[in-house]
Amino acid sequence: MSVRLSEGAIAAIMQGEDVSKPVLQVINTRAIATGTGPPRYRVLMSDGVNTLSSFMLATQLNSLVEEERLSARCICQVNRFIVNSLKDGRRVVILMDVNVMQTADQVGGTIGNPQPYNEGPAAPKYHAPSNQFGKASAPSALKTPGGSQAKVVPIASLNPYQSKWTICARVTQKGQIRTWSNSRGEGKLFSIELVDESGEIRATAFNDQADKFFPLIELNKVYYFTKGNLKTANKQYTAVKNDYEITFTNETSVVPCDDAQHLPSVQFDFVSISDLENTPKDSIVDVIGICKSYEDVTKITVKANNREVSKRNVHLMDTSGKLVTVTLWGNEAEQFDGSRQPVIAIKGARVSDFGGRSLSVLSSSTVVINPDSPEAFKLRGWFDSEGQLLECASISDVRGGPAAGANTNWKTLFEAKSENLGQGDKADYFSCVGTIVHLRKENCMYQACPSQDCNKKVIDQQNGLYRCEKCDREFPNFKYRLLLLVTIADCLEYQWVTCFQDSAEFILGQNAAFLGELKEKNEQAFEEVFQNANFNTYEFRIRVKLETYNDESRIKATAMDVKPVNYREYSKRLIANIRRNAQLG
C-alpha cells in the first residue's frame, strides 16, 4: 500500500497555516546533548517537496527513536505538533504525537526530490491528503484579560529552547514560603505545581518574585502563566512527571483565567498500599485510601532549628486489604478530621522504612479529602459494602514495633500461642480482646527514684533518705511505680501479662501515688481497688518474646497498650470471621 505525502505541508506549517495531521517522511534523526536531562532528538523531515531540519521530538516520544521505530526513510503521520519561536526568530516544530505508518524497509528510499525549505513567496501551496481529517493542532491564540494576544501552548510542549510562551494551567499544589541562609547569602522561595490537559510541571519563585506572586496565586485556581526560565527538573525535590521545571523571572506574568473549568484538578499515579512493601525507601508516591483510624495531634521539637511542630498519624487502607501509617504535619495535622472515615488521596508522599513501611506528607505534597474521582467512588463503595468488615494487616507494623493507635494483627489468645508468636529472634506484636480474671497484688508496686527520667528502684537507707544506685544519689523522697501482673482470658485461652505504669493505672483506675497512699493508710480500700478491676474487658496490644531466666525459657507477654473495647469494630471483625468460616465450611 502506497502512502501519499502531504506536499506543501512544511511550508504551510512554517507560515502559520492550519495543517491537520500531515504525512511526512523522516530523512534523518540526530541526538542533541542536554546535560543531565534526557536526550532531545532533532528530526529532518520531508513532505515530498521540501525538507526541514527544525523538527524536534518531544521527550515522551524518545522511545520511538531509541527502539528504532522512527528511523530514516520511514513515513509517519504527525497527529499533534506545536510551533515555537526562538529569540533569533527561527521556528522549531515540536512533534507531540506521531504514528509510524510505514517502516524504512517498507518504503525503500526517499520519496520525490525534496529541496531544503526557504521562506519566500514562491512556497508551494499545501494540499491535504484526501484521507486526512480533524482540527489543526497548532496552538490557538487566546485573548488574555490584559487585552494582548498570546498563543497558549500545552505544558507538555515546554522546553528550554523556547523564549516566549503562555500556558493556561490550574494550580494543584502551593507550598509555603521557605527561607534559607548559607555562605552565599540568604533568600526565600515558594513552589507551585501546575496542570493542564497535556501534563504537569513545577514552578518556583525566588525572593522578589516570591513576594510578588505568593499573595496572588491561589490553590486550585486557573491562570495564564507567561514567560519564565525552563531548566531540567531536579527529581530529588519533586514527584511531578515532567523533565523540566519553571523558574519565575522579572518578565513572568500571572493572569487569572475564568473560563477553563475543564482543566483537571490534580493528576495522580496511585500505588497500591500492598505494593509499598517493595517500594524503595525515600521514593515519592501517590496513594489513595480510606482513613481506617487516626491518632491525636502531638507536638515534637525539630532538632535542626528547635522549632515545635504538630504531628498526627493517620492509618489508611485500600482494596488490597493492607494498612499503612501516614504522618501529617503542621496545619494539615491540626485541621484533619477523620471521624467519618473519609477517602484520602495524597500526591507526593515520601516512603519511610521505619517499622516496616510508612509514609510522610511533605511540604510539596498535596492532600485531597474525599476527591471527586472514579478511584475515590470505587474505594468508598468497596469499603461501605465489604472493606469495613475486613481484618486489615498493617505494613507499618512489621516486627519492628507497634503502629501507635492502629490495633492491627488481631488474634485470639489461642491463635497467638498456636502460631508460636514470640519464638523468633525478634519480638512479635498482636492485638486481642481479653477479660481480666486475676490480678496479683503482691509486689505490684515499688519505691522508685524520683528523678524524672529514672524509674530505678531505690534502697531505703533507714535514715529518711532513699538511694538510687543508677543516679548514685540519695533523695529525701521517692515515687511509686506500678508493675502489675494480670491474667487475661478470652473464649479459648488465658495468658499472664505484665502491665507497666500507664497500662496498670488504666486497669486499676487510679494513679500510682494514690494507690501507694492507700496501701500505707487503708488496706481495705486498697483491696477494693483490685476487686473492682476484676472481670473487666479491654483491648490489649501485646508484645511477646521468648526470654531465658535461670536456664529456663518462657514466653513473656507485656501490655504495650490497654484501652476500652470498640464494640462496633469488634462486632465487624466477628461478622467477618463468621463469614470467612462459613465459606470454609
Side-chain angles (χ1 to χ4, degrees):
M1 173 183 172
S2 61
V3 178
R4 181 184 174 188
L5 298 183
S6 303
E7 295 182 357
I10 287 178
I13 291 172
M14 297 305 287
Q15 292 169 13
E17 298 180 16
D18 289 346
V19 180
S20 177
K21 298 185 179 180
V23 176
L24 305 174
Q25 184 177 29
V26 175
I27 304 301
N28 190 21
T29 60
R30 183 164 63 91
I32 299 174
T34 58
T36 59
R40 299 301 302 266
Y41 291 97
R42 174 172 287 183
V43 186
L44 175 63
M45 305 195 81
S46 164
D47 63 3
V49 177
N50 294 118
T51 60
L52 184 70
S53 62
S54 298
F55 290 93
M56 191 78 70
L57 201 65
T59 55
Q60 62 264 31
L61 301 182
N62 281 0
S63 60
L64 291 176
V65 175
E66 293 162 355
E67 296 171 6
E68 298 184 352
R69 287 181 286 162
L70 191 74
S71 57
R73 306 296 182 267
C74 76
I75 294 177
C76 60
Q77 183 180 61
V78 180
N79 298 319
R80 192 159 62 93
F81 62 90
I82 301 293
V83 180
N84 291 328
S85 297
L86 303 182
K87 290 182 178 180
D88 58 7
R90 290 182 298 127
R91 292 184 176 183
V92 176
V93 183
I94 309 298
L95 303 177
M96 305 299 299
D97 184 10
V98 174
N99 285 337
V100 177
M101 303 177 69
Q102 286 190 352
T103 64
D105 294 337
Q106 293 172 323
V107 176
T110 302
I111 297 176
N113 186 28
Q115 301 299 313
Y117 171 74
N118 290 313
E119 292 190 33
K125 187 177 180 180
Y126 165 61
H127 298 282
S130 59
N131 63 341
Q132 301 301 305
F133 61 91
K135 297 181 179 180
S137 57
S140 58
L142 295 182
K143 191 171 184 178
T144 67
S148 61
Q149 293 286 335
K151 283 190 175 181
V152 176
V153 300
I155 286 175
S157 73
L158 294 178
N159 63 78
Y161 303 101
Q162 297 167 266
S163 60
K164 297 179 181 179
W165 49 262
T166 297
I167 58 173
C168 182
R170 186 184 301 276
V171 180
T172 58
Q173 196 277 332
K174 179 185 177 184
Q176 296 297 314
I177 288 184
R178 292 179 290 151
T179 60
W180 81 84
S181 178
N182 54 36
S183 58
R184 292 181 294 179
E186 57 185 28
K188 65 183 71 172
L189 65 90
F190 82 97
S191 296
I192 58 176
E193 291 177 11
L194 307 174
V195 63
D196 68 6
E197 292 174 312
S198 71
E200 57 185 349
I201 195 167
R202 183 173 187 250
T204 302
F206 293 88
N207 300 324
D208 293 343
Q209 280 70 45
D211 291 332
K212 175 182 177 181
F213 291 117
F214 187 83
L216 298 178
I217 296 175
E218 297 182 35
L219 186 65
N220 211 34
K221 294 292 182 66
V222 179
Y223 300 89
Y224 292 106
F225 295 86
T226 301
K227 292 187 178 180
N229 289 336
L230 283 151
K231 63 178 184 178
T232 302
N234 188 338
K235 297 298 184 180
Q236 181 181 354
Y237 299 108
T238 177
V240 174
K241 292 176 174 54
N242 197 310
D243 295 326
Y244 305 108
E245 59 186 15
I246 300 170
T247 299
F248 289 167
T249 68
N250 292 330
E251 296 182 332
T252 300
S253 68
V254 179
V255 180
C257 174
D258 299 323
D259 58 351
Q261 299 306 312
H262 62 285
L263 291 180
S265 294
V266 183
Q267 290 187 337
F268 292 96
D269 185 13
F270 292 123
V271 174
S272 171
I273 290 177
S274 61
D275 291 340
L276 294 176
E277 293 183 278
N278 300 314
T279 302
K281 175 189 175 185
D282 294 331
S283 297
I284 305 297
V285 298
D286 301 347
V287 295
I288 186 170
I290 291 281
C291 175
K292 181 72 173 177
S293 61
Y294 63 101
E295 301 170 26
D296 294 334
V297 173
T298 59
K299 299 283 188 179
I300 66 169
T301 301
V302 180
K303 292 182 179 179
N305 52 20
N306 203 32
R307 183 170 57 92
E308 189 178 68
V309 297
S310 300
K311 170 187 174 183
R312 186 198 296 268
N313 284 340
V314 178
H315 310 288
L316 301 184
M317 71 174 294
D318 65 7
T319 54
S320 68
K322 295 299 180 70
L323 182 141
V324 66
T325 299
V326 180
T327 302
L328 304 178
W329 302 92
N331 292 333
E332 285 182 333
E334 294 174 354
Q335 298 171 6
F336 177 78
D337 180 11
S339 58
R340 296 183 178 273
Q341 295 186 304
V343 176
I344 303 175
I346 304 175
K347 181 178 180 63
R350 174 167 287 165
V351 178
S352 168
D353 62 354
F354 179 74
R357 281 292 185 270
S358 57
L359 297 174
S360 181
V361 172
L362 309 175
S363 60
S364 59
S365 303
T366 301
V367 179
V368 183
I369 307 297
N370 291 323
D372 185 9
S373 69
E375 295 91 348
F377 297 145
K378 180 181 177 181
L379 188 58
R380 169 56 64 189
W382 168 82
F383 183 78
D384 291 344
S385 62
E386 58 179 296
Q388 60 182 326
L389 301 176
L390 291 181
E391 179 182 338
C392 53
S394 175
I395 67 171
S396 304
D397 182 16
V398 184
R399 291 185 174 267
N407 279 351
T408 56
N409 195 25
W410 290 94
K411 305 283 184 185
T412 64
L413 295 174
F414 175 79
E415 288 172 337
K417 290 185 177 181
S418 62
E419 294 175 14
N420 295 318
L421 295 186
Q423 300 281 2
D425 294 334
K426 294 183 179 180
D428 286 323
Y429 297 82
F430 71 95
S431 298
C432 69
V433 174
T435 301
I436 295 175
V437 295
H438 177 71
L439 301 95
R440 181 180 291 178
K441 296 189 298 294
E442 296 78 13
N443 300 320
C444 68
M445 304 180 69
Y446 68 94
Q447 297 170 340
C449 176
S451 298
Q452 182 177 355
D453 298 324
C454 180
N455 296 321
K456 188 74 174 177
K457 186 176 181 179
V458 295
I459 302 171
D460 189 348
Q461 300 292 89
Q462 304 298 323
N463 60 357
L465 297 176
Y466 301 88
R467 177 171 178 77
C468 174
E469 295 291 342
K470 180 180 179 181
C471 299
D472 194 22
R473 287 181 57 191
E474 291 183 348
F475 299 91
N477 61 335
F478 59 85
K479 63 184 177 186
Y480 276 111
R481 296 283 300 177
L482 286 166
L483 183 59
L484 182 64
L485 196 60
V486 303
T487 305
I488 65 172
D490 59 15
C491 58
L492 295 173
E493 189 57 270
Y494 72 93
Q495 174 70 55
W496 283 98
V497 179
T498 301
C499 301
F500 290 100
Q501 185 85 347
D502 293 341
S503 298
E505 288 182 337
F506 180 82
I507 290 172
L508 296 173
Q510 303 290 347
N511 62 51
F514 178 76
L515 290 171
E517 186 177 354
L518 278 187
K519 186 176 181 181
E520 294 175 358
K521 299 180 180 179
N522 192 336
E523 186 68 30
Q524 183 178 353
F526 182 75
E527 179 76 23
E528 288 179 357
V529 170
F530 280 78
Q531 291 177 357
N532 293 334
N534 247 327
F535 304 110
N536 291 320
T537 303
Y538 303 102
E539 290 181 0
F540 290 86
R541 182 72 174 162
I542 296 178
R543 175 188 188 272
V544 285
K545 180 72 173 69
L546 185 66
E547 296 188 354
T548 302
Y549 183 72
N550 288 338
D551 297 327
E552 180 181 349
S553 297
R554 61 183 179 88
I555 291 290
K556 181 178 180 181
T558 304
M560 306 303 294
D561 188 26
V562 182
K563 59 185 179 182
V565 178
N566 184 333
Y567 284 100
R568 182 186 178 197
E569 295 297 322
Y570 183 39
S571 298
K572 289 179 181 178
R573 292 194 299 274
L574 292 177
I575 292 171
N577 289 337
I578 291 170
R579 289 179 176 174
R580 187 162 52 247
N581 292 333
Q583 292 174 354
L584 294 175

